Amino acid sequence: EAGVAQSPRYKIIEKRQSVAFWCNPISGHATLYWYQQILGQGPKLLIQFQNNGVVDDSQLPKDRFSAERLKGVDSTLKIQPAKLEDSAVYLCAAQAVTDTQYFGPGTRLTVL
Amino acid sequence: AQSVTQPDIHITVSEGASLELRCNYSYGATPYLFWYVQSPGQGLQLLLKYFSGDTLVQGIKGFEAEFKRSQSSFNLRKPSVHWSDAAEYFCAVASPSGSARQLTFGSGTQLTVLP
């Protein structure tokens, strides 16, 4: 089966700019997650979608982060405006009924 | 709240030596348990998982893990390490109840393999 696709792979922006990440999960995988992985740490959940509905966004900094999943397939994560502490790898994961999450390669964001 | 502790930030082993990476968790019941590996610039790849049943779990690339309820541990092992195993390893837990399977990760163990 095809993997989880993410783009761009790398992004460098200045603080206060906006940025968007895109995720295309595995076909048929209804559940989609976005994680933030700061250097030297494990990934931390930002938001979980089930089809095109949000299941849990309690850890998403909603003053600057937003996410959507149109038609229950692709998803975008946006940061506006970005802060220095947002520098991290943003990982998208897809899950089917097997309770196993499959991760994309991630987008490495550097905020200067 | 659930948490995962990986006490070893960095481990160095020689190629061909055995390996054990430690993982301890804090959770009200027995969670679902996972080990993932992350190579530089790559996403996370699942090595193995434990949901229930036999407490010794076999995974890919020759890895295995043993769930010990009494110690709240899920340590990862490999009898003979290969240079290609150099990577970062993450232990993770998820709730076994409900439909949400959000993963809580440990902080990772960086593995270096010496020739």
Side-chain angles (χ1 to χ4, degrees), chain B residues 27-106:
Chain B
Y27 196 78
T30 298
Y32 288 177
L33 295 156
F34 304 83
W35 274 100
Y36 282 86
V37 61
Q38 187 176 37
S39 298
Q42 303 296 314
L44 293 155
Q45 181 183 22
L46 180 69
L47 288 176
L48 45 78
K49 59 188 177 184
Y50 174 79
F51 291 170
S52 64
D54 191 346
T55 57
L56 187 61
V57 180
Q58 301 298 318
I60 63 171
K61 303 184 180 184
F63 285 92
E64 66 177 26
E66 185 172 13
F67 167 60
K68 293 185 177 180
R69 185 190 310 273
S70 62
Q71 299 176 18
S72 297
S73 69
F74 189 56
N75 293 349
L76 182 71
R77 301 193 293 248
K78 187 170 185 177
S80 178
V81 171
H82 187 263
W83 64 266
S84 60
D85 293 324
E88 188 149 26
Y89 292 79
F90 292 93
C91 181
V93 302
S95 170
S97 61
S99 61
R101 292 288 180 263
Q102 303 157 6
L103 293 171
T104 298
F105 286 88

Side-chain angles (χ1 to χ4, degrees), chain A residues 31-35 45 47-48 91-93 95 101, chain B residues 101:
Chain A
T31 308
L32 185 148
Y33 304 82
W34 283 100
Y35 291 86
L45 179 73
I47 189 168
Q48 176 188 355
L91 295 163
C92 178
Q95 177 190 315
Q101 293 183 30
Chain B
R101 292 288 180 263

Side-chain angles (χ1 to χ4, degrees), chain A residues 13-61:
Chain A
I13 62 173
E14 295 187 349
K15 60 182 179 183
R16 291 188 291 274
Q17 287 187 323
S18 62
V19 64
F21 314 127
W22 174 81
C23 172
N24 179 234
I26 303 167
S27 176
H29 284 53
T31 308
L32 185 148
Y33 304 82
W34 283 100
Y35 291 86
Q36 179 192 57
Q37 185 178 19
I38 293 173
L39 185 64
Q41 300 180 18
K44 288 183 170 57
L45 179 73
L46 290 174
I47 189 168
Q48 176 188 355
F49 290 95
Q50 180 74 21
N51 296 310
N52 62 348
V54 175
V55 174
D56 185 351
D57 63 357
S58 60
Q59 300 181 72
L60 187 73

